[in-house]
């Protein structure tokens, strides 16, 4: 069984999630890149600048993002979409995930802002490898504190959660927040449509 890929946390939820909530598909074989990747800094800067932002936003370190791309043997030209969100492997109710940028490419997803850990200085990033993915699908969560998430979950062999892209929203205490919340849902759906195109 392939181990879930996350540089920060590896958590199995085979007893918490039902495969019925995910879209199943036939595993695909993708050719891995073996050559060293040279990052196009100007193009990377443009991708980050154009990544849609709603409620999830932080500071992006372009040098660190470039190093994460290189570590994953991923060229900037392979990035098909980018979006500010959070990446989770804990329960969907948890509010512990920092904002990140999800970079979607044909082989999977890289989520990072290029920052490093306080202890040890290790580069912080998470990935979803589509070769390990056995299902995926949208899900939502609403918290009583006037906030919630629109998500895409990815499941691996044995129904193990590989990772969850999460677009959070927060409702105003007074006033109508429906337009802002719908905009968050539309961004989740944009990335979901691309994932569906890639995985079927």
């Amino acid at each position: 069984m392939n181990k879930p890929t996350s540089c920060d946390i590896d958590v199995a939820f085979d007893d918490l999630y039902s495969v019925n909530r995910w879209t199943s598909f036939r595993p695909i074989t993708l050719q891995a890149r073996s050559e060293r990747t040279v990052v196009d800094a100007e193009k990377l800067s443009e991708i980050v600048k154009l990544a849609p932002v709603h409620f999830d936003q932080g500071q992006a370190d372009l040098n660190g993002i470039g190093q994460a791309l290189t570590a994953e043997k991923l060229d900037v030209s392979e990035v098909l979409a980018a979006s500010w969100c959070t990446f989770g492997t804990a329960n969907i109710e948890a509010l512990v995930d920092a904002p990140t940028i999800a970079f979607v490419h044909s082989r999977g997803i890289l989520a990072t802002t290029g920052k490093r850990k306080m202890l040890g200085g290790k580069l912080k990033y998470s990935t979803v490898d589509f070769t390990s993915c056995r299902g995926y699908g949208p899900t939502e969560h609403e918290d009583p504190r006037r906030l919630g998430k629109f998500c895409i979950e990815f499941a691996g062999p044995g129904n193990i959660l590989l990772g969850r892209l999460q677009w959070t929203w927060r409702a105003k205490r007074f006033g109508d927040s429906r337009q802002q919340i719908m905009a968050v849902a539309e961004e989740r759906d944009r990335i979901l449509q691309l994932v569906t195109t890639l995985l079927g």
Side-chain angles (χ1 to χ4, degrees), residues 49-129:
K49 185 188 303 183
L50 295 176
V53 179
H54 293 282
F55 291 88
D56 302 304
Q57 185 179 23
Q59 294 295 320
D61 184 326
L62 292 179
N63 289 331
I65 294 174
Q67 291 171 21
L69 291 169
T70 300
E72 290 299 307
K73 299 181 175 62
L74 180 63
D75 190 86
V76 178
S77 63
E78 295 179 82
V79 175
L80 302 175
S83 180
W84 279 96
C85 58
T86 64
F87 184 93
T89 53
N91 291 337
I92 194 171
E93 297 87 358
L95 300 173
V96 297
D97 304 305
T100 189
I101 305 175
F103 298 92
V104 184
H105 55 94
S106 63
R107 294 182 280 122
I109 294 167
L110 169 69
T112 185
T113 55
K115 298 300 179 61
R116 294 184 176 275
K117 293 183 177 181
M118 293 290 291
L119 298 178
K122 185 178 179 181
L123 192 63
K124 295 193 294 186
Y125 69 89
S126 301
T127 63
V128 172
D129 184 349

Side-chain angles (χ1 to χ4, degrees), residues 5-162:
T5 305
S6 173
C7 290
D8 294 326
I9 312 173
D10 294 314
V11 182
F13 287 100
D14 52 332
D15 58 336
L16 297 179
Y17 292 86
S18 167
V19 73
N20 293 329
R21 69 191 296 177
W22 290 310
T23 301
S24 298
F25 58 92
R26 183 172 300 178
I28 56 177
T29 302
L30 299 171
Q31 183 66 39
R33 295 172 59 92
S34 58
E35 66 272 16
R36 180 176 176 81
T37 300
V38 178
V39 176
D40 184 335
E42 185 176 346
K43 186 167 185 176
L44 176 60
S45 177
E46 188 69 12
I47 290 173
V48 171
K49 185 188 303 183
L50 295 176
V53 179
H54 293 282
F55 291 88
D56 302 304
Q57 185 179 23
Q59 294 295 320
D61 184 326
L62 292 179
N63 289 331
I65 294 174
Q67 291 171 21
L69 291 169
T70 300
E72 290 299 307
K73 299 181 175 62
L74 180 63
D75 190 86
V76 178
S77 63
E78 295 179 82
V79 175
L80 302 175
S83 180
W84 279 96
C85 58
T86 64
F87 184 93
T89 53
N91 291 337
I92 194 171
E93 297 87 358
L95 300 173
V96 297
D97 304 305
T100 189
I101 305 175
F103 298 92
V104 184
H105 55 94
S106 63
R107 294 182 280 122
I109 294 167
L110 169 69
T112 185
T113 55
K115 298 300 179 61
R116 294 184 176 275
K117 293 183 177 181
M118 293 290 291
L119 298 178
K122 185 178 179 181
L123 192 63
K124 295 193 294 186
Y125 69 89
S126 301
T127 63
V128 172
D129 184 349
F130 285 165
T131 60
S132 300
C133 193
R134 298 296 180 267
Y136 67 95
T139 187
E140 291 87 30
H141 171 70
E142 185 172 353
D143 191 281
R145 292 167 290 182
R146 300 189 303 278
L147 54 88
K149 304 175 183 179
F150 293 102
C151 313
I152 305 172
E153 292 184 338
F154 299 89
N159 241 16
I160 292 176
L161 180 67
L162 300 177

